Amino acid sequence: MLVSVLAAGLLLAPAPAAAPPRPLREVLRVEPGATCLTASGLAETIATWLGRDTIDVPVAYIDVRGDPTRAQSVTIALEIRGELVERKFDPVRPTCSDLHAVVGLGIAIAVDAAVLEGLGYEVIDPGEESVPQAYDPERPPLTRRSRKGEPSEAPPRRASVSVVAAVRSGLWLGVLPGLAGGGGAQLELGWRRWVDLRASLFGGYAGPRALDADTRVTLGLVGGRVDVCAALARPRVRPRLCFGPAAGALQIGARTPGVRDAVGPWVALTVAPELRIWAAKRFAVDLAVELIVPVVRPVPAERDPSKAGMIGDSLAVPPVGAMVSLGAAFTIR
């Protein structure tokens, strides 16, 4: 009798209430990298595909990671009932709206599959003896890794460092007296496409200059510089602002017999607004306007023969110069 009463009580007891769905934006995490993906835009696209803006409990989180060096490569990861489902998308030159649509559709399909599995529908994973399916490089198959028994946590983040080499040449205005030409080579280390550390070597030549009617000199400058650059990550165009110190040697070569050559130290501060335009995956075109503010520099001059220790004619050098250059950049990694 007692057993019958207990059984009836268990049958009549109300079932535990299911946990309510969570807002989509609470489980969606977006790290755009070099893509144009945004959390708000992707949430709206997923909600459009799903027909709702909530996510059922079996989905713990949705993680979207863009490649820091590729504007079209995206990886999505969903944790569903203790298992991690990942998929990588690499469409060829998509527009921003197309990329949101492709990634949003992939997430919506994975979420719907999780809901169907929770309702009792069988989800068939291909086994070793199954018939191979056609491989589409732009839509690789879902891969599933068991996470049962492990704490629920996001995939580890990897700091992405890019290495870029570049060469440039252009016109120098006021860096040396008058108009000069020069160029250089540089190596950059970039972190997540937002911050760059750059080291470069440069050189310029101004050609012959007249101190007076009888004295002509040639001017050349060689040196190196270190810059820190702050950039804006865009799919094809990358503006940035660089600043740092530069140091080198100014060589004054005499063209007149009896006048000696001279070499003097040259130190300056540089500020450079630049624009990098990616023409291909690993090739870009650089446009730069660099402002040069000399701190230490020799003045090309000759001594006054009529007055001992006095300076005669000299070449005027502006207090601020500029380098306008065009170059090419190559991504090493």
Side-chain angles (χ1 to χ4, degrees), residues 81-307:
R81 299 183 186 89
E83 295 184 347
L84 185 66
V85 178
E86 287 189 352
R87 187 169 192 172
K88 185 175 181 181
F89 298 89
D90 198 5
V92 179
R93 297 186 178 179
T95 64
C96 195
S97 59
D98 289 343
L99 186 61
H100 279 82
V102 169
V103 176
L105 178 59
I107 294 174
I109 292 174
V111 170
D112 282 342
V115 173
L116 291 175
E117 187 176 7
L119 294 175
Y121 291 90
E122 183 180 3
V123 177
I124 301 175
D125 291 330
E128 294 181 358
E129 299 180 359
S130 62
V131 179
Q133 299 179 357
Y135 175 71
D136 185 351
E138 295 195 10
R139 292 185 182 273
L142 288 171
T143 58
R144 185 179 293 253
R145 300 198 303 269
S146 176
R147 293 279 301 264
K148 294 180 179 179
E150 300 180 4
S152 177
E153 60 181 11
R157 306 289 187 184
R158 296 183 302 170
S160 177
V161 178
S162 62
V163 181
V164 178
V167 292
R168 296 180 181 178
S169 63
L171 295 178
W172 292 12
L173 309 173
V175 180
L176 297 173
L179 184 64
Q186 61 192 37
L187 187 66
E188 304 174 7
L189 298 179
W191 186 81
R192 295 189 181 275
R193 294 178 60 85
W194 300 322
V195 178
D196 297 331
L197 179 62
R198 179 175 69 186
S200 57
L201 298 175
F202 62 88
Y205 180 71
R209 296 286 188 271
L211 283 175
D212 55 27
D214 301 323
T215 305
R216 297 174 65 84
V217 296
T218 57
L219 302 172
L221 175 64
V222 293
R225 54 189 284 188
V226 177
D227 295 289
V228 176
C229 304
L232 295 177
R234 295 291 184 269
R236 292 294 179 187
V237 179
R238 187 169 183 259
R240 63 179 178 176
L241 181 64
C242 303
F243 56 91
L250 177 65
Q251 182 176 10
I252 304 172
R255 289 292 187 90
T256 302
V259 179
R260 296 183 300 174
D261 296 347
V263 177
W266 181 89
V267 179
L269 299 177
T270 66
V271 178
E274 302 179 0
L275 183 63
R276 176 163 290 172
I277 303 173
W278 291 98
K281 179 180 177 181
R282 294 184 175 272
F283 174 77
V285 177
D286 283 349
L287 300 173
V289 178
E290 306 170 63
L291 302 180
I292 311 297
V293 182
V295 178
V296 177
R297 61 182 176 186
V299 176
E302 63 178 353
R303 297 192 177 276
D304 190 343
S306 62
K307 300 179 181 178

